Amino acid sequence: MNKFYIITRYSFRRSVWAIIGWGIPLMLLGIITIPFYDLVAENERQLRPVLENLKPLVKSFIGGDEAEQIFTPEGFISLRYFAFLPVILGIYGSVSGSGLLAADEERGILDFVLAHPVSRGQLFWGRVISFTASLLCIIGLGWLGLWIGVAKAGSMNFPPFQLLLPYLSVFAVTWFFACFSLALSMCVPSRSSAAMISGILVLAGYIITTLAKAIKGLENWAVFSPLTYYQSNAMMGFEIVPFIKLFLVTLVLLFLARIGFGLRDIRVAGDGGWKLPFIRG
Amino acid sequence: MNDKESDPAIHVNNLSKSYGSFLALKGIDLIVNRGEVFGFLGPNGAGKTTAIRCMLDLIRPDAGTVSVLGKNPQSDPVAVREYCGYLPGELRLDENISVHSVLEFLRELRGGGENCHIRAKELADRLDLNVKSKIKNLSKGNKQKVGIIAAFMHCPDLLLLDEPTSGLDPLIQQTVLEMVKESRRSGATVFFSSHVLAEVQAVADRVAIIREGQIVEVGETSSLLSGRAWKMKVMFAENTVVRTEEIEALSGILLDEVSSDGRELKLIVDGEMDELIKVLAGYHVESIETGRPDLEEVFLSYYGKVRERDHLGGKGNE
């Protein structure tokens, strides 16, 4: 049996509980949140003037110039469901990516596996593919919950594919943070420090991207935030360019992580020191 | 395996490895012949595990070369590992799955067929291990058994065992040593490190002693022991006044220890026994015990536990 497939299958089985733990709440988020659109639509006359009179800075946290879109079905889904997903799944990506290899290394398991006839490349790509499959399963559960929620909301009617479009962007952002923390885990002393740095980037990126809608001076900095390329409103039109940009940067991070893993010494267990594996002493 | 049969099983040449400012291996040279059981002795932190991990490309040396079964682990690690069975010194396993799942995963990684599966089952029975148990419910010794099965189940050409009997009860220790001997009889090479010097003495054909990253002694176990000076314990009768300076003046005689009452002397004899016997004949001797140092004493001699290191000698690397 192909070793790559063996690694992927074994790693995927280990992530079943993570899929359930992240996927079910995501599914419930859609089932519970989306039907509230009917209530929002009914109260549009009262709510619209409140939104229009909000200060720009406050309004930026609920969609900025697009805040009034909340009264449309696509806008409601975008602002009340998809707006928070990159933060939620960004944290998932940061934790999972950082632990993809470093967790087993710190637990002392990785060297025993690598002492068997499997290359570092097979182990690396097997784990990456299994993570990708896990992420797709989580997104799939979320999409299912969204679909159920849309069905429960009497005034919504979307084809399943249109509900899937924003998830492409969710996938791209989550995969970015996973690959970023994976690359970090090849350099920094511990898995937890990689997850922490990536988690900070998730939150900082969210804040900068959000505030940039109201503060002009932040627009130049927002270019460096991965969440700037996130399209929560993709149901109204998916733009391929931001997706490609994010995807390409992610691929670069992924290959840097692969090179790093190929060059580094495998620890017996525990945390290691700072090491830039791309620079060999 | 497609390699030269004349190549040694392991050939290490000027191997160096550092961890930051700490030099773990200082240019060691080692040759392990095919078909032998080779013991690798050293205290904690001497460099044993580092050397073994270099052989499997788990870590990369700073300098020097390693050849395992005729192949370079750095350029062809998968091919090396295919014919090796490895037991780490500190074995850790995925806690949330069963023994059976771990062994099946490792067997699949090796491309092991039904024979490997049967052999794993036989080894589990022999080591009295329940394969249905979850790893997290196993004791340290039982986890060690899992590692032993994983190392032996595919009948490798080379076994790299880092403290194989660690955590095992005496009966299972004997079983493992039997397995080592069986592997040798079937033509495999066994390279193992251990702190239990008695078992190394029992199974190893040759031994290397490593100290602070350097090989200080390599040789056949039997010659390592037979080439050493004799130990002698002499008990004198009560009220016997022994002139110890008379004994110390003899060539090749070291007075190692004198009991508080002066009745018992421990000597190391690396010279003519005849002169000593003649001197002792002048006293009322109750008993004399003699013997060769065991491997533990040889080992400890490199760590300053025995005075007069020169009497226990030392040879360079082969």
Side-chain angles (χ1 to χ4, degrees):
Chain A
M1 198 183 294
N2 183 276
K3 289 174 194 174
F4 179 71
Y5 167 72
I6 294 166
I7 295 285
T8 304
R9 188 189 70 195
Y10 176 73
S11 302
F12 183 78
R13 276 189 198 158
R14 294 170 72 193
S15 64
V16 165
W17 285 111
I19 293 170
I20 293 170
W22 287 87
I24 299 293
L26 203 61
M27 186 168 75
L28 291 175
L29 183 68
I31 293 172
I32 294 169
T33 307
I34 303 307
F36 277 97
Y37 170 71
D38 293 338
L39 195 63
V40 169
E42 281 172 17
N43 291 278
E44 180 180 348
R45 271 183 36 180
Q46 295 93 323
L47 293 171
R48 187 177 280 276
V50 173
L51 276 179
E52 286 169 354
N53 291 318
L54 282 175
K55 285 191 165 36
L57 194 59
V58 175
K59 203 173 176 184
S60 69
F61 282 95
I62 52 172
D65 293 338
E66 297 170 357
E68 284 85 354
Q69 299 275 351
I70 198 171
F71 302 113
T72 65
E74 297 90 339
F76 182 82
I77 294 176
S78 169
L79 292 169
R80 298 310 308 156
Y81 181 81
F82 283 109
F84 306 109
L85 280 197
V87 177
I88 296 170
L89 290 183
I91 298 296
Y92 163 72
S94 297
V95 172
S96 298
S98 65
L100 214 56
L101 292 162
D104 278 356
E105 189 179 19
E106 287 176 9
R107 289 161 59 197
I109 294 173
L110 194 68
D111 71 331
F112 188 51
V113 174
L114 265 180
H116 288 73
V118 57
S119 68
R120 293 194 187 202
Q122 286 169 326
L123 185 66
F124 181 89
W125 292 115
R127 295 269 174 113
V128 168
I129 296 295
S130 79
F131 165 76
T132 305
S134 302
L135 177 59
L136 289 173
C137 287
I138 290 170
I139 287 175
L141 285 171
W143 173 71
L144 183 65
L146 186 63
W147 197 20
I148 295 171
V150 165
K152 283 178 68 177
S155 50
M156 287 191 182
N157 186 17
F158 295 111
F161 177 73
Q162 191 175 3
L163 292 175
L164 203 55
L165 285 175
Y167 278 115
L168 291 176
S169 197
V170 169
F171 173 82
V173 169
T174 309
W175 213 49
F176 168 87
F177 285 113
C179 293
F180 176 67
S181 63
L182 174 61
L184 274 179
S185 71
M186 296 295 112
C187 307
V188 299
S190 68
R191 176 253 177 119
S192 55
S193 41
M196 180 187 72
I197 294 169
S198 184
I200 289 171
L201 182 63
V202 171
L203 295 172
Y206 177 75
I207 292 170
I208 290 171
T209 300
T210 303
L211 292 178
K213 293 172 188 169
I215 304 172
K216 293 293 176 196
L218 280 180
E219 279 176 350
N220 292 335
W221 291 102
V223 169
F224 299 104
S225 165
L227 280 93
T228 301
Y229 304 90
Y230 174 61
Q231 302 174 62
S232 65
N233 57 355
M235 284 179 67
M236 294 177 260
F238 184 81
E239 293 179 35
I240 195 70
V241 171
F243 178 82
I244 295 287
K245 283 182 182 175
L246 196 56
F247 188 71
L248 287 176
V249 173
T250 303
L251 280 182
V252 169
L253 289 169
L254 193 58
F255 280 102
L256 285 175
R258 168 66 187 98
I259 293 169
F261 184 61
L263 292 176
R264 68 185 284 152
D265 288 343
I266 305 298
R267 296 196 292 267
V268 173
D271 294 356
W274 283 88
K275 188 179 175 105
L276 290 172
F278 316 113
I279 301 170
R280 298 204 68 187
Chain B
M1 186 175 185
N2 188 18
D3 61 323
K4 296 175 189 172
E5 287 294 330
S6 58
D7 285 343
I10 298 170
H11 188 179
V12 172
N13 183 35
N14 196 31
L15 190 69
S16 294
K17 176 64 183 175
S18 62
Y19 299 107
S21 59
F22 174 69
L23 201 51
L25 292 177
K26 300 172 186 171
I28 66 167
D29 298 301
L30 203 57
I31 294 175
V32 178
N33 301 314
R34 289 187 189 251
E36 70 175 351
V37 177
F38 193 94
F40 201 37
L41 306 177
N44 298 328
K48 304 189 298 298
T49 299
T50 300
I52 292 175
R53 287 163 64 79
C54 284
M55 294 173 196
L56 291 166
D57 192 44
L58 296 175
I59 58 177
R60 276 70 186 270
D62 298 331
T65 59
V66 180
S67 169
V68 179
L69 297 173
K71 290 200 179 300
N72 182 344
Q74 272 74 58
S75 60
D76 206 354
V78 177
V80 166
R81 297 171 195 158
E82 195 167 344
Y83 294 93
C84 289
Y86 173 56
L87 178 65
E90 291 184 46
L91 176 66
R92 292 193 179 89
L93 302 163
D94 189 343
E95 297 274 313
N96 297 312
I97 57 177
S98 67
V99 172
H100 174 79
S101 297
V102 169
L103 292 176
E104 276 299 293
F105 169 61
L106 297 175
R107 184 183 67 81
E108 285 179 355
L109 278 186
R110 292 200 168 276
E114 188 60 23
N115 287 343
C116 192
H117 174 75
I118 292 170
R119 177 139 168 87
K121 195 170 179 309
E122 286 171 354
L123 289 172
D125 290 338
R126 190 173 175 185
L127 294 171
D128 192 24
L129 180 68
N130 181 1
V131 297
K132 292 180 184 170
S133 303
K134 276 248 164 69
I135 298 291
K136 62 184 174 187
N137 295 330
L138 296 180
S139 64
K140 180 182 186 306
N142 281 328
K143 286 178 187 173
Q144 186 74 353
K145 291 176 187 177
V146 178
I148 291 167
I149 295 170
F152 280 82
M153 66 181 176
H154 58 293
C155 301
D157 291 343
L158 171 64
L159 282 153
L160 298 169
L161 310 175
D162 200 344
E163 302 190 35
T165 60
S166 171
L168 300 176
D169 64 58
L171 282 174
I172 302 296
Q173 285 179 8
Q174 288 307 310
T175 303
V176 172
L177 293 181
E178 241 343 281
M179 288 166 62
V180 168
K181 291 176 186 173
E182 287 166 9
S183 295
R184 176 178 52 193
R185 283 196 290 271
S186 66
T189 307
V190 181
F191 180 92
F192 79 108
S193 74
S194 179
H195 291 305
V196 183
L197 302 171
E199 71 186 25
V200 174
Q201 189 169 338
V203 297
D205 300 311
R206 289 200 304 140
V207 165
I209 299 175
I210 184 168
R211 175 190 176 188
E212 294 176 355
Q214 290 178 305
I215 303 282
V216 295
E217 182 76 63
V218 180
E220 291 185 7
T221 313
S222 54
S223 58
L224 211 66
L225 298 172
S226 66
R228 303 297 166 177
W230 286 89
K231 298 185 300 181
M232 181 182 280
K233 189 163 80 173
V234 184
M235 178 70 84
F236 296 95
E238 262 187 71
N239 302 320
T240 303
V241 177
V242 180
R243 292 189 297 278
T244 56
E245 61 274 11
E246 193 179 3
I247 295 172
E248 283 182 295
L250 295 172
S251 169
I253 307 297
L254 170 69
L255 182 59
D256 190 34
E257 195 178 320
V258 182
S259 64
S260 55
D261 59 2
R263 285 185 62 196
E264 186 179 286
L265 302 184
K266 286 184 180 173
L267 306 170
I268 295 172
V269 182
D270 193 23
E272 283 293 320
M273 191 75 77
D274 184 56
E275 289 293 320
L276 175 64
I277 297 297
K278 286 173 179 167
V279 169
L280 291 175
Y283 299 93
H284 186 175
V285 175
E286 273 192 4
S287 66
I288 294 179
E289 292 175 25
T290 61
R292 294 285 190 189
D294 61 20
L295 194 57
E296 180 168 352
E297 288 167 310
V298 173
F299 177 76
L300 290 174
S301 73
Y302 291 96
Y303 293 87
K305 301 288 182 184
V306 177
R307 288 180 295 141
E308 201 79 17
R309 232 175 127 241
D310 291 345
H311 279 263
L312 290 175
K315 298 172 189 170
N317 292 343
E318 290 187 3

